[in-house]
C-alpha cells in the first residue's frame, strides 16, 4: 500500500473502547469502599473523551484532560485496591473526597471549555498536514528539528546568562518540541515507526532529559505519543506492541525514577539540596546507572506506592478545603490577578518584582505542610489556588474560561494562514502541554502559556512565512 494511503480512520473507535473499559472498571469497583467516587470519576472520563476526541489531530486537549483526570482519580482507585476509605489515603488530613469531587468537576468544565474553543474536528487541516509531510523527504524534517534543537540550546544558555529574560527564552527553547513532533509525525505517517534516524533522535532526547536535575524523561515520550495519534496509522500487531512498549516504558521509568531521585538529586547537586547541577552529563548518567544497579524487589515495590501517591495531586487541595475560608478568607481573585500581570513585567525591567515561591504559598495555606526543603518547589496546584481565590462555584466558571482559551489557542494556530496546519498542530502542542499538570501553580501556568503564545505569535509572523516552502505540500512537477 502506498504511504499516502495511510488513513487515520482506525483511531475513531477509541471513545467506544473507553466506554467499555469504564463500565468494566466501574463494575470491578462496585464492592469497594469508594464505589460512588470511582463511578463518578469514570463518568467524567467518558464525558471528557467524548468532548475532546479528534481523530487525525494531535490529542493535546484530551491529554490535558486525561492526565489531570488520572491525578485526580488515582487515589480513589488505589484506596479501593488497599481496601480503605479515600479519606484515610492521605497523611495530611483535610477533606480528600471533596477535593477529588471538585477537581473532577473542574476537569469536566475544562473539557467543555476546550471543546467550545477548538470547535469541531477539521479533517481538511489534518489532510493538509499529512500531505505536507509526505511531500518532503524525511531528511527535511530531521534537519528542521536539528536547527530547532540548536536554537533551543542557545536559548537555554542565554536564559542562564540573562535571568531577566529567562521566561521568553525558555518559551523559545520549548518550540523545539513542535519540530520534534513534526519529525516524529513524518516518520509515523510513512509507517516507519522504527525508522533508525528517528530512533536515534528519540534515544538522544531521552538520554539528555534523563541527565537533568528533575530528569524530565516524560516529555519526549509524550510528544512521540502525540505524533503517533496524529498520524492515525492503521494499527497492526507490531504497531500495537510498539505503543504498549512505549506506555510500559513511561510507567517503568516513572517507578525507577521515584526509587532513585532523592539520591540522584543529592549527588547531582553535590549535596547542596539546591537545583544547581554540579556533575557533567556523563557523570550524571553514570550516577543513574549506579543507583539503578542497587535496586531490588522491595525498593521497587516501595517506589511503586510512592509513585502512585506522587501522581495523585489532590491532598494539598484537601487541606486547603479545611482551612479556606474557615481560617483564611477567599482571596477574591488576587492570586489570578498576580499571575496574569507577571508576564507583562519582565524582570529585566522590573527588578523588584517578587519571586514566584510556590513552597511559601503552600505553607501559608496549608499550615506549613510543604516544609522548607530547597531541592524542589511544592505547589498547591492551580485548581486549589482558584478555589482559594473564588470558592467552589465561581472557580468552575474560571476553569471553563481557561479551557475555552486553550481551545482558541489551538484553533488559532491550526487555522493560521501564516503557520499552516502542520506547524499549527505541533506548535499548539508545544504551548499547551505545560497546561497538563494539576500541580502547576497559577503564576507558572498563566505566565507560561501567555509568554509562549506571545513568542509563538512572533515566530508565526516573522519566521513561519520563510518556512512555508517546507511546511506546505507543493503540487508535483509534471
Amino acid at each position: 500500500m502506498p504511504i499516502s494511503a495511510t488513513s487515520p480512520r482506525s483511531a475513531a473507535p477509541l471513545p467506544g473502547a473507553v466506554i467499555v473499559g469504564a463500565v468494566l472498571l466501574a463494575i470491578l469497583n462496585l464492592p469497594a469502599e469508594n464505589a460512588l467516587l470511582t463511578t463518578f470519576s469514570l463518568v467524567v472520563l467518558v464525558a471528557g473523551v467524548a468532548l475532546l476526541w479528534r481523530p487525525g489531530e494531535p490529542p493535546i486537549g484530551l491529554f490535558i484532560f486525561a492526565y489531570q483526570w488520572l491525578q485526580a482519580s488515582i487515589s480513589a482507585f488505589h484506596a479501593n485496591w488497599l481496601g480503605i476509605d479515600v479519606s484515610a489515603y492521605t497523611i495530611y488530613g483535610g477533606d480528600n473526597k471533596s477535593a477529588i469531587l471538585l477537581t473532577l468537576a473542574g476537569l469536566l468544565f475544562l473539557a467543555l471549555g476546550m471543546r467550545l474553543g477548538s470547535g469541531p474536528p477539521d479533517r481538511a487541516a489534518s489532510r493538509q498536514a499529512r500531505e505536507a509531510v509526505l511531500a518532503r523527504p524525511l531528511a527535511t524534517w530531521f534537519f528542521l528539528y536539528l536547527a530547532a534543537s540548536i536554537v533551543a540550546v542557545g536559548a537555554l544558555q542565554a536564559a542562564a546568562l540573562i535571568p531577566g529574560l529567562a521566561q521568553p527564552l525558555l518559551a523559545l527553547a520549548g518550540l523545539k518540541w513542535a519540530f520534534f513532533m513534526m519529525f516524529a509525525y513524518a516518520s509515523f505517517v510513512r509507517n516507519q515507526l522504527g525508522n533508525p534516524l528517528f530512533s536515534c533522535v528519540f534515544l538522544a532526547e531521552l538520554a539528555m532529559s534523563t541527565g537533568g536535575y528533575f530528569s524530565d524523561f516524560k516529555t519526549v515520550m509524550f510528544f512521540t505519543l502525540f505524533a503517533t495519534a496524529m498520524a492515525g496509522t492503521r494499527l497492526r500487531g507490531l504497531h500495537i506492541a510498539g505503543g504498549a512498549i512505549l506506555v510500559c516504558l513511561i510507567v517503568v521509568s516513572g517507578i525507577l525514577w521515584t526509587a532513585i531521585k532523592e539520591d540522584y538529586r543529592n549527588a547531582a547537586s553535590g549535596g547542596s539540596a539546591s537545583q544547581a547541577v554540579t556533575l557533567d552529563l556523563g557523570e550524571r548518567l553514570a550516577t543513574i546507572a549506579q543507583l539503578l544497579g542497587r535496586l531490588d524487589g522491595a525498593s521497587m515495590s516501595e517506589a511503586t506506592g510512592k509513585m502512585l501517591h506522587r501522581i495523585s495531586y489532590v491532598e494539598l487541595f484537601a487541606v486547603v478545603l479545611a482551612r479556606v475560608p474557615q481560617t483564611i478568607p477567599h482571596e477574591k481573585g488576587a492570586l489570578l490577578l498576580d499571575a496574569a500581570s507577571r508576564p507583562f513585567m519582565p524582570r529585566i525591567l522590573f527588578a523588584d518584582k517578587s519571586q514566584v515561591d510556590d513552597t511559601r504559598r503552600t505553607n501559608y495555606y496549608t499550615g506549613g505542610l510543604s516544609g522548607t526543603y530547597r531541592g524542589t518547589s511544592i505547589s498547591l496546584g492551580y485548581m486549589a489556588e482558584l478555589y482559594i481565590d473564588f470558592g467552589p462555584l465561581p472557580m468552575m466558571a474560571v476553569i471553563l474560561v481557561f479551557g475555552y482559551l486553550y481551545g482558541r489557542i489551538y484553533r488559532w494556530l491550526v487555522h493560521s494562514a501564516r503557520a499552516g496546519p502542520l506547524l499549527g498542530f505541533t506548535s499548539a502542542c508545544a504551548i499547551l502541554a505545560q497546561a497538563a499538570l494539576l500541580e502547576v501553580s497559577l503564576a507558572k501556568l498563566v505566565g507560561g502559556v501567555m509568554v509562549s503564545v506571545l513568542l509563538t505569535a512572533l515566530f508565526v509572523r516573522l519566521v513561519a512565512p520563510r518556512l512555508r516552502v517546507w511546511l506546505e505540500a507543493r503540487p508535483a512537477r509534471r
Side-chain angles (χ1 to χ4, degrees), residues 269-327:
S269 64
S272 64
S274 69
Q275 295 179 15
V277 175
T278 60
L279 304 179
D280 62 34
L281 180 59
E283 292 172 325
R284 280 175 272 156
L285 293 177
T287 299
I288 289 173
Q290 184 180 34
L291 291 172
L292 290 175
R294 297 176 184 173
L295 297 180
D296 54 22
S299 57
M300 289 292 288
S301 178
E302 181 183 359
T304 301
K306 285 183 177 179
M307 187 185 75
L308 292 175
H309 275 84
R310 175 63 184 86
I311 292 173
S312 173
Y313 215 85
V314 293
E315 295 180 355
L316 294 175
F317 191 5
V319 178
V320 167
L321 287 172
R323 291 175 57 83
V324 178
Q326 294 89 333
T327 304

Side-chain angles (χ1 to χ4, degrees), residues 138-153 173-186 197-206 208 220 223 467 470-471:
L138 194 58
T140 298
W141 308 107
F142 168 72
F143 284 117
L144 282 173
Y145 155 76
L146 188 61
S149 297
I150 294 170
V151 172
V153 170
L175 273 177
K176 173 191 77 170
W177 293 111
F179 292 92
F180 171 86
M181 187 174 163
M182 279 185 200
F183 178 42
Y185 177 60
L197 187 58
F198 174 75
S199 298
C200 290
V201 167
F202 177 87
L203 292 174
E205 286 287 356
L206 187 63
M208 288 187 291
V220 63
F223 276 90
L467 299 178
W470 290 286
L471 299 179

Side-chain angles (χ1 to χ4, degrees), residues 12 16 53 101 126 152 192 231 235 240 249 277 299 313 368 372 406 425 441:
W53 181 244
L101 288 170
S126 300
Q192 297 182 18
L235 297 179
I240 295 172
L249 182 61
V277 175
S299 57
Y313 215 85
T372 58
Y406 295 162
F425 281 134
S441 66

